[in-house]
Amino acid sequence: MNSIHQISFFDHFEDFKKSDQLEHLKKVLDSLSDNTIVQELKMRRGNGRNKFPVDYLWRVFISFFILGHNTMMDHLREIARNTELRWILGGDLCELVPTPSSMSRFQKKLEEYGPGLRELFGELREALGTQLPELGEGVAMHSNILGSKANRQTDKPRDGRRDVDATKTAKTYSGMTKEGKYWEKTEYFFGYKVHLIVDVVYELPLYYRVTKASDSDVKIGEEMIKSYIEKGTVSKRTKFASADRGYDSGSFIKYLVNQGITTYVDIRMMWQDEKERLYSREYENLYYKEKGEMICYCPVSGKPRPLIYDGYESSRKCQRRKCPAKAYGLHCKGEDKCKIPKVLRIKVEDDPRRFPPVARESYKFKKMYKTRTAVERVNSRLDSGLGLDMKKVRSLKRQELFVSMGLIVMLTSALVQVRQREKFKDEETFKRKLRSLKTA
């Protein structure tokens, strides 16, 4: 949780202008003050009671995420205590502190504006895209569990206290030990999931969805990537995508390849004790492993050698493999008897999971797959920096509202920094500032 410097009773406004955090808070609030959601809420209120204006409640709600308070009551207490913060939030209303009931009613109204918040998020993404020409060239995908305040599912009707939307899910981790033994571990969660598409350079969210915890990562991921590619100009720049094995799907990888996007997706290990399989009856001495490594056995000596990955042919959508004897100039006793061509082309569409455009054993794949950690850091900032892990809720709409606001604040904070780009020494310093950006 971020702390706010408290000015003394005799301090003038010019004195607390020096606070970087409050200056940043003011810039974010000013950037988000005028939008269609606020205008629609004003129209709905009409000539009704206006003790707490819509603009003021909106700024209070945004600051709730920027300052990282765990509950709205904690936030309202800070506003009541801190004259400086009240001035920034309300201006001439600096003596006015919203009541808990007024904020609760305001949140319920905002829950109805899910599409409007997603549209605002898209506008901010495109605004950043105009300032950052390389934004969106590389993306990473991931999902994160957000716990519910409830602890179990119920069939009882909704009453505002019980959570009837959250579901239970199991997350299974598996792999192979150094000794070649298969292992598996399962953990259970109850709540929701936030699915993210994130830029891997600036570590900024580009697209999101909030679902029940039991919804499939790869199914939602396929829907998200299709919707994302169809919207805006930033998505048209995407050249590669990385994701963990939760998104290991033939149709998902095939769709991305057809869109001209190179994939770096880990593979689910499902063979258990099986080490290799025959590639084709045409080549009796050619085998492949679960991750797609190709092994040829010398027809005479029986010595195994890996086929060398030789790049990707985008025109044919084929992965190229070279004979190790030709690639390295080795002498092979069975070269005359071997039926395997000197350059073997493997169509990606035949088995996109096993043979993606870039082979998994290549240095390039290992390097580019590490970009996936960008989305994990964004999830961490949502959890710790914006406090979403402590803001446990009891409905899908409320969870979506909190996630939307957190991501909107994140993009707006980045936009504020981008507009001050000239003050940084160089481009790398600027990128580091954006990557380290949490809430202020």
Side-chain angles (χ1 to χ4, degrees):
M1 182 177 73
N2 293 325
S3 59
I4 302 298
H5 168 66
Q6 176 65 53
I7 61 173
S8 71
F9 180 77
F10 300 100
D11 281 344
H12 190 265
F13 174 60
E14 292 299 323
D15 294 327
F16 67 76
K17 270 186 176 178
K18 299 174 184 177
S19 171
D20 291 340
Q21 186 185 40
L22 289 175
E23 185 66 23
H24 181 78
L25 171 62
K26 187 175 185 303
K27 288 177 180 178
V28 172
L29 292 173
D30 292 343
S31 299
L32 288 171
S33 59
D34 187 22
N35 56 68
T36 55
I37 296 174
V38 173
Q39 298 304 322
E40 287 183 24
L41 287 170
K42 284 182 179 178
M43 289 179 60
R44 284 185 58 179
R45 178 172 285 190
N47 297 323
R49 188 182 179 193
N50 201 35
K51 182 179 180 181
F52 302 108
V54 170
D55 290 316
Y56 182 47
L57 295 179
W58 174 251
R59 290 169 75 89
V60 169
F61 194 59
I62 293 171
S63 63
F64 173 50
F65 293 91
I66 297 176
L67 301 180
H69 291 119
N70 294 337
T71 65
M72 184 57 71
M73 282 302 301
D74 290 339
H75 187 53
L76 295 179
R77 289 190 194 102
E78 176 66 21
I79 294 173
R81 184 189 69 82
N82 198 322
T83 307
E84 186 178 358
L85 181 58
R86 286 204 303 276
W87 195 96
I88 288 176
L89 293 176
D92 56 343
L93 303 171
C94 61
E95 297 303 322
L96 199 61
V97 180
T99 61
S101 58
S102 64
M103 290 307 301
S104 179
R105 289 192 295 271
F106 185 71
Q107 286 184 56
K108 287 181 180 178
K109 289 178 182 177
L110 281 178
E111 288 176 11
E112 302 171 14
Y113 287 88
L117 290 171
R118 287 192 290 272
E119 185 176 340
L120 176 59
F121 175 87
E123 291 171 1
L124 290 168
R125 179 190 64 220
E126 296 304 314
L128 277 167
T130 59
Q131 301 285 334
L132 304 171
E134 64 274 28
L135 182 71
E137 288 185 358
V139 300
M141 300 180 65
H142 191 55
S143 69
N144 187 36
I145 299 290
L146 296 174
S148 169
K149 198 169 184 179
N151 53 22
R152 65 180 183 275
Q153 289 179 272
T154 178
D155 296 328
K156 295 180 181 180
R158 190 189 303 275
D159 65 350
R161 296 174 297 175
R162 59 177 66 99
D163 193 339
V164 301
D165 297 327
T167 56
K168 188 176 181 180
T169 187
K171 206 164 185 177
T172 302
Y173 305 89
S174 62
M176 301 291 288
T177 64
K178 292 181 179 180
E179 295 75 23
K181 187 176 180 182
Y182 178 80
W183 64 270
E184 190 173 280
K185 178 184 176 183
T186 303
E187 293 182 359
Y188 297 92
F189 304 91
F190 179 73
Y192 306 93
K193 274 183 185 177
V194 53
H195 305 260
L196 289 175
I197 298 177
V198 169
D199 177 80
V200 299
V201 175
Y202 295 105
E203 297 180 3
L204 292 172
L206 301 175
Y207 201 78
Y208 72 97
R209 274 190 64 182
V210 182
T211 66
K212 298 178 181 180
S214 58
D215 287 352
S216 166
D217 285 358
V218 67
K219 182 179 177 181
I220 299 299
E222 286 186 40
E223 295 173 1
M224 282 177 62
I225 201 70
K226 290 177 182 178
S227 300
Y228 168 69
I229 290 174
E230 293 170 0
K231 295 182 178 179
T233 57
V234 173
S235 60
K236 302 297 186 294
R237 306 170 183 168
T238 304
K239 297 177 181 178
F240 71 87
S242 58
D244 62 18
R245 64 187 64 179
Y247 296 88
D248 176 29
S249 164
S251 58
F252 176 67
I253 296 173
K254 188 175 179 180
Y255 172 78
L256 290 176
V257 171
N258 289 335
Q259 295 295 320
I261 299 172
T262 306
T263 60
Y264 301 95
V265 181
D266 198 7
I267 193 169
R268 287 171 287 142
M269 306 298 287
M270 298 185 292
W271 284 10
Q272 295 190 10
D273 297 330
E274 196 173 1
K275 292 185 178 181
E276 57 186 28
R277 292 178 181 175
L278 181 66
Y279 174 70
S280 170
R281 291 181 181 178
E282 184 180 356
Y283 310 119
E284 297 179 352
N285 59 327
L286 181 60
Y287 289 77
Y288 67 95
K289 295 185 178 181
E290 188 168 13
K291 286 192 173 184
E293 303 99 319
M294 303 294 291
I295 306 294
C296 69
Y297 288 87
C298 176
V300 177
S301 66
K303 184 177 180 180
R305 286 196 180 102
L307 260 69
I308 310 305
Y309 172 68
D310 191 40
Y312 175 68
E313 290 188 20
S314 56
S315 58
R316 300 183 181 184
K317 294 181 180 178
C318 289
Q319 189 185 111
R320 286 167 55 99
R321 296 278 180 166
K322 264 189 179 181
C323 168
K326 183 177 181 180
Y328 295 135
L330 301 175
H331 174 67
C332 180
K333 294 179 180 179
E335 187 173 357
D336 296 334
K337 297 180 180 180
C338 186
K339 296 180 180 179
I340 302 173
K342 300 300 181 183
V343 177
L344 179 69
R345 291 179 174 85
I346 305 171
K347 289 187 177 180
V348 172
E349 61 180 13
D350 291 344
D351 193 348
R353 288 185 60 245
R354 203 85 55 208
F355 305 108
V358 180
R360 289 188 175 88
E361 73 268 23
S362 66
Y363 291 112
K364 184 177 181 180
F365 186 94
K366 292 172 183 177
K367 178 183 176 181
M368 300 303 292
Y369 180 69
K370 291 178 181 178
T371 61
R372 181 189 58 84
T373 57
V375 71
E376 295 179 356
R377 286 188 286 274
V378 172
N379 276 323
S380 176
R381 287 164 196 153
L382 279 176
D383 287 345
S384 56
L386 297 167
L388 286 189
D389 57 340
M390 300 301 294
K391 293 177 175 65
K392 293 184 178 178
V393 298
R394 292 190 175 97
S395 73
L396 182 59
K397 280 189 176 181
R398 180 65 58 89
Q399 191 67 269
E400 186 172 1
L401 170 63
F402 280 15
V403 170
S404 298
M405 292 303 299
L407 295 174
I408 285 170
V409 163
M410 195 178 291
L411 286 189
T412 309
S413 298
L415 194 56
V416 169
Q417 294 292 340
V418 169
R419 288 168 179 167
Q420 300 174 348
R421 192 173 189 171
E422 62 277 1
K423 76 176 185 179
F424 296 98
K425 294 179 181 179
D426 51 47
E427 187 69 14
E428 189 57 36
T429 305
F430 169 69
K431 289 181 180 180
R432 279 201 303 270
K433 177 63 178 177
L434 282 187
R435 285 197 291 264
S436 64
L437 192 64
K438 292 184 180 179
T439 57

